[in-house]
Amino acid sequence: MAEPFITEDSDHPACGICPSLRLPREAFVVYDRPSRECPFDQRDGHRYTADGTPACVHPNKIGVEPDRFAPPPARVVVEEEPPRGRWWSSLRSRLHSR
C-alpha cells in the first residue's frame, strides 16, 4: 500500500479525519472549503464526493492547492412574517396594560 500523503513526521496540522492521513495524494480530492458536493458521511466520519472519492476540505492545512472549488452556498430564503391584523394590536395592548 502507498504511503499516506501526510505522515507523522510532517509539520502540516491535518484534521483527524482527513484522507491525507491514510491515503496517497492521488487517491483523494481537495476542495477549497466544505461543500454540499462532498458531504460528511455520518457512518464513518469522512467526506466523499458523489462518486465515492474521499475529499479533504482544508487545503491550507495540508499545504496543497485545491483540485476543486466548492459552489457558492445555497441561497437561504427567509419568508416574511405575515402582517398581523388589528386583533393582534388589540391583544397586545391588553396584555401590556395589565
Side-chain angles (χ1 to χ4, degrees), residues 18-54:
C18 187
S20 68
L21 296 172
R22 64 190 198 314
L23 300 170
R25 177 61 189 95
E26 62 275 1
F28 63 95
V29 296
V30 180
Y31 277 84
D32 62 327
R33 62 182 172 80
S35 165
R36 63 185 175 272
E37 289 188 353
C38 55
F40 180 75
D41 186 339
Q42 293 181 1
R43 293 173 294 189
D44 68 1
H46 299 286
R47 290 181 178 273
Y48 298 96
T49 61
D51 67 1
T53 304

